[in-house]
Amino acid sequence: MKVLFFGMLKDIAGRAEDCLDMEDGATLGGVFDHYGNRYPRLREMAGSILLARNQEFAGPATQVVDGDEIAFLPPVSGGSDSLLEISENGNFFALTWHPIVPRKIADRLLRAEDGAVVTFEGVVRNNTNGRPTHFLDYECYEPMALNLLARIGREIAAAYAIDRIALVHRLGRMLIGETSVAVIVTAAHRRAAFEAALEGIDRIKRVVPIWKKEHFADGEVWVEGEWDRNAAVAQSMAQSG
């Protein structure tokens, strides 16, 4: 099976990808134990690492078989030149390596009956706790991240009295002042649009497998966030440690 490592876990394992043969009846927990024994730092981080099987979060008891794609995912921190996107029911979800232009996205969502457009932009700041930042690098588990963006958007659209929603995250290198993520909501009334936009960015930061590395004058570091502990899978993975 193919095993993928992301963010700081890629540095710990010294590789982005590995191939692994397991006996019949093997589980995700067994896969984790295999690499935890090889790389003790992974085991130390067991309470904050999630695993995915074939682009879906899964618990340690999940069985694995030949041909599966397993991903080790570090806490979210909130390679291609093409745009990865899903468009459905007027909503728009995307990953891009190019600058995000929120006004262009809003124009795509707006309809004549809309009375409100709420746009949230996350931008790259020039410091972290006073330590000057030069630039950021973002990477993600692309197919899973895109599918989760779309799932979050669908759930928000169903839960709030909004018209349309867009969730867009940029990948690759970003300079100070550039937009890394945008949540745009159109609605008849402002309150629902504000509430939906806030939930959108909060959920992106908690559950979408996107990681950032901050580059400073005196070094670099993967930013450690935290998985959503309200998710049953996150709880089971933490307990497995």
Side-chain angles (χ1 to χ4, degrees), residues 25-58:
T27 64
L28 274 180
V31 174
F32 182 86
D33 287 341
H34 172 83
Y35 288 101
N37 291 335
R38 182 182 295 183
Y39 310 111
R41 178 60 179 145
L42 288 182
R43 189 169 297 282
E44 293 173 7
M45 296 177 62
S48 61
I49 295 173
L50 295 190
L51 298 183
R53 173 180 175 268
N54 298 330
Q55 302 172 23
E56 293 285 344
F57 289 122

Side-chain angles (χ1 to χ4, degrees), residues 25-103:
T27 64
L28 274 180
V31 174
F32 182 86
D33 287 341
H34 172 83
Y35 288 101
N37 291 335
R38 182 182 295 183
Y39 310 111
R41 178 60 179 145
L42 288 182
R43 189 169 297 282
E44 293 173 7
M45 296 177 62
S48 61
I49 295 173
L50 295 190
L51 298 183
R53 173 180 175 268
N54 298 330
Q55 302 172 23
E56 293 285 344
F57 289 122
T62 302
Q63 289 198 334
V64 295
V65 298
D66 288 346
D68 278 351
E69 181 176 275
I70 309 303
F72 279 59
L73 308 175
V76 289
S77 59
S80 162
D81 267 343
S82 61
L83 176 73
L84 301 175
E85 67 174 77
I86 295 175
S87 299
E88 56 185 31
N89 300 321
N91 301 315
F92 180 64
F93 316 108
L95 300 168
T96 181
W97 286 261
H98 302 289
I100 297 172
V101 184
R103 185 66 244 180

Side-chain angles (χ1 to χ4, degrees), residues 14-231:
R15 66 191 71 192
E17 180 178 320
D18 195 20
C19 290
L20 179 65
D21 291 323
M22 298 286 286
E23 296 181 358
D24 291 344
T27 64
L28 274 180
V31 174
F32 182 86
D33 287 341
H34 172 83
Y35 288 101
N37 291 335
R38 182 182 295 183
Y39 310 111
R41 178 60 179 145
L42 288 182
R43 189 169 297 282
E44 293 173 7
M45 296 177 62
S48 61
I49 295 173
L50 295 190
L51 298 183
R53 173 180 175 268
N54 298 330
Q55 302 172 23
E56 293 285 344
F57 289 122
T62 302
Q63 289 198 334
V64 295
V65 298
D66 288 346
D68 278 351
E69 181 176 275
I70 309 303
F72 279 59
L73 308 175
V76 289
S77 59
S80 162
D81 267 343
S82 61
L83 176 73
L84 301 175
E85 67 174 77
I86 295 175
S87 299
E88 56 185 31
N89 300 321
N91 301 315
F92 180 64
F93 316 108
L95 300 168
T96 181
W97 286 261
H98 302 289
I100 297 172
V101 184
R103 185 66 244 180
K104 184 176 180 180
I105 300 170
D107 288 344
R108 174 177 183 154
L109 303 185
L110 268 172
R111 298 196 300 180
E113 55 267 39
D114 292 324
V117 179
V118 169
T119 299
F120 169 83
E121 293 182 61
V123 299
V124 180
R125 61 174 176 263
N126 66 2
N127 77 94
T128 296
N129 297 323
R131 186 181 184 187
T133 300
H134 284 189
F135 55 86
L136 302 181
D137 283 322
Y138 279 88
E139 72 167 45
C140 78
Y141 187 14
E142 294 170 17
M144 186 175 182
L146 182 61
N147 287 332
L148 278 172
L149 285 177
R151 183 183 303 175
I152 290 168
R154 292 185 200 110
E155 292 174 356
I156 290 174
Y160 293 90
I162 63 173
D163 186 7
R164 294 175 172 176
I165 183 170
L167 307 175
V168 181
H169 208 296
R170 190 172 165 193
L171 303 176
R173 179 153 298 181
M174 270 155 276
L175 304 179
I176 306 306
E178 292 191 298
T179 298
S180 60
V181 59
V183 178
I184 301 168
V185 180
T186 61
H189 305 288
R190 63 183 180 275
R191 181 177 296 275
F194 274 111
E195 292 174 348
L198 179 60
E199 179 166 343
I201 188 58
D202 285 348
R203 293 183 64 183
I204 288 172
K205 291 293 186 180
R206 291 198 305 266
V207 304
V208 179
I210 298 173
W211 304 278
K212 70 178 177 181
K213 177 180 280 189
E214 290 203 56
H215 295 262
F216 308 99
D218 56 350
E220 58 190 39
V221 63
W222 286 104
V223 176
E224 292 193 50
E226 183 176 358
W227 288 111
D228 183 357
R229 295 301 171 180
N230 293 319

